[in-house]
Amino acid sequence: MVQVASWLFTLNEIDLVSLTPIVNTDLYEDHGEWEITESSATVVKRVLSGYTMPAVKFSIQLKRKYSYYLLNMLLPVIVLATMAPFVFILPVESGEKNGFALTILLSLSVVMTIVSDNIPPTSTNVCILSVYLLVTFIICSVETVVTVITCRFHELHNKDYIMGARCQKTAKLLAKVTRYRRRPKIGDETIAQSVVVQVDNPA
C-alpha cells in the first residue's frame, strides 16, 4: 500500500484525485517471482494539526509464484523425508546404515541453509517451510541415533555378549518402534516343515 499526499497544501488549496479505480498497469512488466492479482486507487483524507490534507491510496495485492520453491526446495525435502525411514530396512551387515542416515541428515542441513538464505529474517511471521524442515531434521536426527543404537546391539550380539535387562527392554522397544520382524532362516524353515509333516502323518 502506497499513499501519495500533500504535506504543504490543504484540501482547499489543492485536491488529489484518481482517474481510475485501479492502478494503471500499462507499463507493467511481468515479474518472475510475483504476480499482481488485484489493485485499487482510492481518494482519502489525512488530518495534520487540524488541517485536512488530500491523499490518494494505492493498494496492490501480490501473489508469489511458487514454481521455483516447489521444484528447488519443497520436492527435494519431501524426497529426503521419504527416503529417511528406509534406513531401518537396510541390513546391518552391509555397513551402510550409519552412512545412509548421516547422508540424509547432511542433505537436509544443506537444504535448510538454502531455504534460510531465501527467507526474510523476521520473527513476526514464521515460515511454514522452515517449521517443516526443522521437524523433518529432528525426526532424521532421532532416526540416526536409533540406527547407531541398533548397530551397537547387533555388534554385541555377534560377539556373544549377553545383554542386561535394560538393554533387552530397549531392544524390544526399538523393535516395536521400527516394526522389526526377524525372518526365519532356511534351516529353520526346513525344520518347521518337517515338524508339520510329522504332525500330519503320525504313523
Side-chain angles (χ1 to χ4, degrees), residues 69-70 73-85 108-109 111-112 115 119 126-140:
Y69 298 94
L70 181 64
M73 295 183 186
L74 192 58
L75 287 181
V77 173
I78 293 176
V79 172
L80 290 174
T82 305
M83 292 177 58
L108 282 175
S109 63
V111 174
M112 289 181 66
V115 171
I119 292 178
V126 181
C127 181
I128 300 178
L129 182 59
S130 299
V131 177
Y132 175 73
L133 279 173
L134 180 60
V135 173
T136 306
F137 187 81
I138 293 174
I139 293 175
C140 290

Side-chain angles (χ1 to χ4, degrees), residues 182-198:
R182 178 177 294 178
R183 297 181 179 179
K185 297 181 180 179
I186 298 176
D188 297 338
E189 292 179 355
T190 55
I191 293 173
Q193 291 177 359
S194 63
V195 171
V196 171
V197 171
Q198 291 178 3

